[in-house]
């Protein structure tokens, strides 16, 4: 907390998801996996107790996509390039 009304934070994390692929698709009954790591910085400014402005900037620093057939054999894998993102929010409380 920089001041009572201004907060700065660093964040990061790793996320992994598995999902079933369509029975009518190119890999019937297969499994897809999407996993990756992200990192970033955020700031929150409490302008007034009822008005809060926030923003963040970060990057997906690692991302991998894989596809397995219905028996668990890996058919495809791809590592994606890093990507940047920005976000902002404005909150009004009544």
């Amino acid at each position: 907390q920089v001041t009572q009304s201004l907060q700065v934070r660093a964040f990061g994390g790793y996320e992994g998801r598995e999902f079933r692929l369509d029975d009518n698709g190119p890999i019937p009954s297969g499994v897809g996996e999407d996993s990756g790591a992200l990192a970033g910085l955020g700031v929150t400014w409490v302008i007034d107790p009822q008005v809060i402005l926030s923003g963040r900037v970060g990057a997906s620093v690692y991302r991998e996509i894989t596809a397995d057939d219905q028996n668990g054999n890996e058919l495809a894998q791809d590592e994606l390039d890093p990507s940047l993102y920005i976000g902002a929010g404005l909150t009004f409380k009544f």
Side-chain angles (χ1 to χ4, degrees), residues 73-94:
N73 300 311
E74 188 175 287
L75 300 177
Q77 174 191 17
D78 196 8
E79 226 176 271
L80 305 178
D81 292 333
S83 59
L84 298 176
Y85 67 89
I86 59 171
L90 181 59
T91 303
F92 294 101
K93 295 181 182 181
F94 297 98

Side-chain angles (χ1 to χ4, degrees), residues 1-92:
Q1 190 162 327
V2 178
T3 68
Q4 190 171 1
S5 63
L6 185 65
Q7 301 170 353
V8 177
R9 66 192 176 283
F11 58 89
Y14 180 84
E15 176 182 61
R17 298 179 289 183
E18 287 189 353
F19 48 92
R20 185 66 61 184
L21 300 174
D22 187 5
D23 289 338
N24 299 320
I27 307 172
S29 301
V31 175
E33 184 176 358
D34 175 10
S35 58
L38 60 93
L41 295 171
V43 65
T44 300
W45 179 25
V46 181
I47 300 168
D48 183 90
Q50 285 84 21
V51 182
I52 301 168
L53 180 63
S54 62
R56 64 182 174 169
V57 61
S60 173
V61 293
Y62 170 79
R63 190 141 220 99
E64 181 179 89
I65 307 278
T66 60
D68 299 346
D69 67 13
Q70 62 186 353
N71 298 317
N73 300 311
E74 188 175 287
L75 300 177
Q77 174 191 17
D78 196 8
E79 226 176 271
L80 305 178
D81 292 333
S83 59
L84 298 176
Y85 67 89
I86 59 171
L90 181 59
T91 303
F92 294 101

